[in-house]
Amino acid sequence: DQQVKQNSPSLSVQEGRISILNCDYTNSMFDYFLWYKKYPAEGPTFLISISSIKDKNEDGRFTVFLNKSAKHLSLHIVPSQPGDSAVYFCAASAWANFGNEKLTFGTGTRLTIIP
Amino acid sequence: DAGVTQSPTHLIKTRGQHVTLRCSPISGHKSVSWYQQVLGQGPQFIFQYYEKEERGRGNFPDRFSARQFPNYSSELNVNALLLGDSALYLCASSWGTGEQETQYFGPGTRLLVL
């Protein structure tokens, strides 16, 4: 049962435009959501997170939006730069319910920024 | 400050062998988690350790085991290796308070089982 889903395996965006990556989840116990970026042959790098008590969090070019009623979150990157080309993973956790910090990941979206 | 470090970076083993992977967390972090990532998938949770105690375990067979040392470093052990154990093994560390914490990942150990 895939509790975190990233339905777009790939996305191509022109440099300077907005990149929007989407993520859906099914487990209503999740209360913390994170986005990680991964280059080949490297570990995931933390980008931005959001608590379930918020609906938006912003950090520089990155903004994450959370819609709890729809069980949907999205990552916006503005403006997109060539260095943003990577695989992006959405992850979720529910420490209060599971008693541990287990992250449940989506399958990733490969973002390609076209110069 | 150094990030999460893992060793070795790459490893080749044959079926039936045993492997030990090592991880050093970010200084001050007391929690270490292990994940397995196979090609085309997101990382899958294997274990979390905090203060040398197992805090969580994912859906992996008993061939997988781990431990955490007094200096908070950790080892992941896999016995009786199968071809399907070929994957990138990731270690992540965090403070360990559990309150909506961010986990920071190391570069991973790529294991190939022949």
Side-chain angles (χ1 to χ4, degrees):
Chain A
D1 176 31
Q2 191 73 21
Q3 297 186 51
V4 177
K5 301 176 185 178
Q6 294 176 257
N7 292 319
S8 298
S10 63
L11 176 68
S12 295
V13 175
Q14 205 76 29
E15 181 180 358
R17 305 293 291 269
I18 182 171
S19 295
I20 300 176
L21 295 96
N22 294 303
C23 177
D24 297 294
Y25 63 96
T26 57
N27 191 337
S28 58
M29 299 298 188
F30 289 143
D31 59 7
Y32 189 53
F33 303 88
L34 308 91
W35 284 94
Y36 287 87
K37 171 182 176 180
K38 188 176 185 302
Y39 293 119
E42 294 184 11
T45 301
F46 170 71
L47 275 177
I48 192 168
S49 62
I50 188 166
S51 166
S52 59
I53 62 173
K54 297 183 176 181
D55 55 19
K56 177 183 174 181
N57 189 28
E58 192 171 353
D59 183 3
R61 297 187 299 115
F62 302 93
T63 302
V64 56
F65 296 91
L66 176 62
N67 182 334
K68 281 195 302 181
S69 60
K71 293 190 177 65
H72 177 82
L73 63 156
S74 61
L75 173 68
H76 292 210
I77 306 173
V78 183
S80 299
Q81 299 174 353
D84 296 330
S85 294
V87 177
Y88 288 77
F89 289 98
C90 169
S93 69
W95 183 85
N97 291 284
F98 300 144
N100 61 68
E101 295 174 31
K102 168 186 175 180
L103 289 176
T104 300
F105 283 84
T107 52
T109 296
R110 181 177 299 279
L111 175 65
T112 302
I113 305 302
I114 305 165
Chain B
D1 281 343
V4 178
T5 59
Q6 292 186 244
S7 64
T9 55
H10 294 83
L11 206 51
I12 300 175
K13 292 285 189 179
T14 57
R15 282 178 295 175
Q17 284 191 312
H18 162 271
V19 69
T20 298
L21 310 180
R22 296 178 175 82
C23 170
S24 291
I26 291 171
S27 178
H29 284 188
K30 297 183 178 181
S31 173
V32 170
S33 297
W34 288 94
Y35 293 82
Q36 179 197 65
Q37 185 180 17
V38 299
L39 203 60
Q41 299 294 319
Q44 297 288 317
F45 174 76
I46 310 175
F47 286 110
Q48 185 203 357
Y49 274 77
Y50 174 71
E51 291 281 15
K52 296 179 290 180
E53 297 291 328
E54 182 182 304
R55 188 182 255 178
R57 184 185 183 115
N59 188 24
F60 280 81
D62 292 343
R63 300 185 295 108
F64 288 76
S65 64
R67 55 179 176 168
Q68 187 178 32
F69 299 100
N71 66 353
Y72 305 111
S73 67
S74 177
E75 282 182 356
L76 175 69
N77 295 283
V78 187
N79 292 323
L81 285 166
L82 303 174
L83 296 180
D85 295 330
S86 296
L88 179 67
Y89 288 85
L90 295 162
C91 173
S93 78
S94 63
W95 294 107
T97 64
E99 288 293 334
Q100 299 188 341
E101 289 200 350
T102 296
Q103 294 181 38
Y104 296 90
F105 284 83
T109 293
R110 187 161 296 282
L111 172 65
L112 177 61
V113 182
L114 300 175

